[in-house]
């Protein structure tokens, strides 16, 4: 694994005062983000999830209210281009709920798109991502605040490589963080070799998602040593090795000195998983999940996972790059 570029020194990090989190209602200071669900979905549509679409604003609003009642303050929606983001709804939902929302640009696996969507993409994929980050989704909608892409199962296909390359170019142009869906939590070396090695993205601008789905403590440690953020997102899913192995994995990382790299999220991807429909949903992250982690890891560390870490991970120095300098 090549965790960092070696051809030239990395650019110095922007001062904290220059960094902001780009929400759908505008840029905010990182410290104003609050208790954050670092990976979830208010809207999502995929041919792989027929009949389970998240496409109705009313349940999305109810889910946000439930999350707010549980103590939540911010949600990062990782739904990328072409998957029913409903970006125009997000500012209203943020205002009415009092929950800060960050939207995403980027692309998922090709299998998540209905026929014709990928064929209509512009040749300049990076340009699309940059425009959504700096001008607005769809040209007039809210601006995205992160780039979401996807690795493959223990590897990278051509679609993933093209998407990751475009994400790296957009990251250099904007400073935005890149969140990577890891299929069943696998493929960390391939993603980091390409993004942080060949494409020279600073590891601290990469979030590796779904590591809870592959409870490999060695792989977690290698990813943390590379300098990336580690997202453990998707609690209470019986078909994944998640909740019951998570305290062990997080304790091992914290004991090794990587407590500042850990993010937590709910990743609600189906209508049946929403709390308003009887599933765990967004509130579970802050109720059963947080309570269980506090018992094993302590309040201070879990609070850091939910507040200081996402504030740092999603903050960027947007100004000079967005102006094209």
């Amino acid at each position: 694994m090549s965790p960092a570029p070696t051809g030239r020194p990395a650019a110095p990090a922007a001062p904290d005062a220059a960094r902001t989190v780009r929400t759908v209602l505008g840029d905010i200071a990182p410290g104003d983000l609050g208790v954050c669900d670092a990976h979830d979905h208010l809207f999502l549509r995929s041919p792989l999830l027929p009949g389970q679409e998240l496409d109705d604003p009313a349940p999305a609003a109810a889910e946000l209210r439930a999350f707010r009642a549980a103590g939540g303050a911010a949600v990062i929606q990782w739904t990328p281009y072409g998957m029913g983001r409903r970006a125009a709804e997000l500012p209203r939902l943020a205002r009415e709920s009092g929950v800060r929302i960050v939207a995403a640009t980027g692309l998922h696996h090709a299998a998540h798109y209905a026929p014709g969507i990928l064929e209509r993409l512009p040749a300049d994929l990076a340009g699309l991502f940059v425009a959504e980050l700096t001008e607005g989704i769809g040209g007039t909608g809210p601006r995205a605040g992160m780039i979401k892409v996807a690795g493959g199962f223990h590897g990278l296909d051509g679609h993933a490589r093209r998407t990751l390359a475009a994400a790296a170019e957009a990251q250099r142009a904007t400073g935005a963080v890149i969140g990577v869906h890891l299929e069943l939590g696998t493929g960390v070396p391939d993603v980091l070799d390409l993004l942080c090695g060949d494409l020279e993205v600073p590891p601290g601008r990469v979030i590796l998602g779904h590591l809870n789905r592959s409870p490999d403590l060695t792989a977690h440690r290698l990813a943390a040593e590379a300098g990336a953020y580690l997202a453990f997102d998707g609690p209470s899913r019986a078909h994944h090795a998640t909740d019951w192995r998570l305290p062990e994995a997080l304790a091992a990382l914290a004991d090794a000195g990587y407590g500042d790299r850990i993010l937590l999220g709910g990743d609600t991807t189906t209508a049946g998983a929403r709390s308003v429909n009887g599933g765990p949903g967004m509130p579970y992250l802050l109720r059963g999940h947080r309570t269980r982690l506090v018992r094993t890891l302590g309040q201070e560390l879990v609070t850091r996972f939910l507040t200081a870490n996402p504030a740092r991970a999603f903050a960027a120095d947007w100004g000079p790059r967005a102006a094209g300098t």
Side-chain angles (χ1 to χ4, degrees):
M1 189 188 309
S2 304
T6 56
R8 61 176 182 267
D16 289 343
R19 292 177 177 267
T20 57
V21 176
R22 180 148 289 173
T23 80
V24 297
L25 294 180
D27 295 355
I28 63 171
D32 293 337
L33 191 64
V35 174
C36 181
D37 178 342
H39 180 171
D40 226 310
H41 301 274
L42 291 163
F43 299 105
L44 185 143
R45 184 175 58 245
S46 167
L48 299 185
L49 299 169
Q52 288 293 324
E53 295 82 4
L54 302 178
D55 58 6
D56 188 339
E63 196 74 359
L64 282 173
R65 290 194 296 270
F67 178 69
R68 182 68 170 168
V75 171
I76 315 298
Q77 170 163 274
W78 283 40
T79 309
Y81 176 93
M83 293 187 65
R85 290 174 289 185
R86 302 205 66 164
E89 298 283 351
L90 297 178
R92 178 184 62 83
L93 290 173
R95 283 191 296 267
E96 292 179 356
S97 67
V99 176
R100 297 172 183 87
I101 299 173
V102 174
T105 187
L107 285 179
H108 209 322
H109 291 307
H112 283 290
Y113 292 92
I117 291 180
L118 295 181
E119 289 74 15
R120 293 193 295 270
L121 282 170
D124 182 10
L125 194 55
L128 170 65
F129 298 167
V130 170
E132 294 199 331
L133 290 159
T134 61
E135 300 170 17
I137 294 171
T140 59
R143 292 181 296 183
M146 69 165 293
I147 306 164
K148 187 264 183 69
V149 292
F153 183 59
H154 290 293
L156 298 172
D157 62 13
H159 173 82
R161 289 182 177 276
R162 179 195 176 203
T163 304
L164 287 166
E169 186 176 341
Q171 194 285 322
R172 287 191 293 272
T174 64
V177 71
I178 300 173
V180 185
H181 166 99
L182 299 175
E183 191 66 19
L184 296 180
T186 69
V188 170
D190 301 273
V191 168
L192 290 180
D193 280 348
L194 180 58
L195 270 183
C196 303
D198 297 347
L199 300 173
E200 300 190 350
V201 175
R205 294 282 76 203
V206 175
I207 300 171
L208 300 172
H210 303 319
L211 289 173
N212 51 299
R213 299 185 186 182
S214 180
D216 182 338
L217 300 187
T218 300
H220 297 172
R221 177 70 176 266
L222 289 172
E225 289 174 352
Y229 284 93
L230 315 181
F232 294 81
D233 38 26
S236 194
R237 295 184 174 209
H239 60 295
H240 295 310
T242 56
D243 288 11
W244 68 278
R245 293 294 300 272
L246 193 55
E248 173 191 4
L250 299 186
L253 287 167
D255 289 345
Y258 298 111
D260 62 344
R261 315 309 294 171
I262 294 169
L263 305 173
L264 301 177
D267 191 29
T268 307
T269 58
T270 62
R274 278 182 161 155
S275 67
V276 295
N277 294 328
M282 291 180 182
Y284 180 78
L285 178 68
L286 303 179
R287 290 177 177 160
H289 201 48
R290 176 170 59 179
T291 300
R292 188 162 182 258
L293 291 178
V294 166
R295 287 178 65 90
T296 55
L297 301 174
Q299 181 70 56
E300 186 279 330
L301 191 57
V302 177
T303 297
R304 195 192 319 169
F305 297 162
L306 292 166
T307 56
N309 291 359
R312 191 184 328 107
F314 291 100
D317 175 20
W318 304 95
R321 295 185 184 88
T325 60

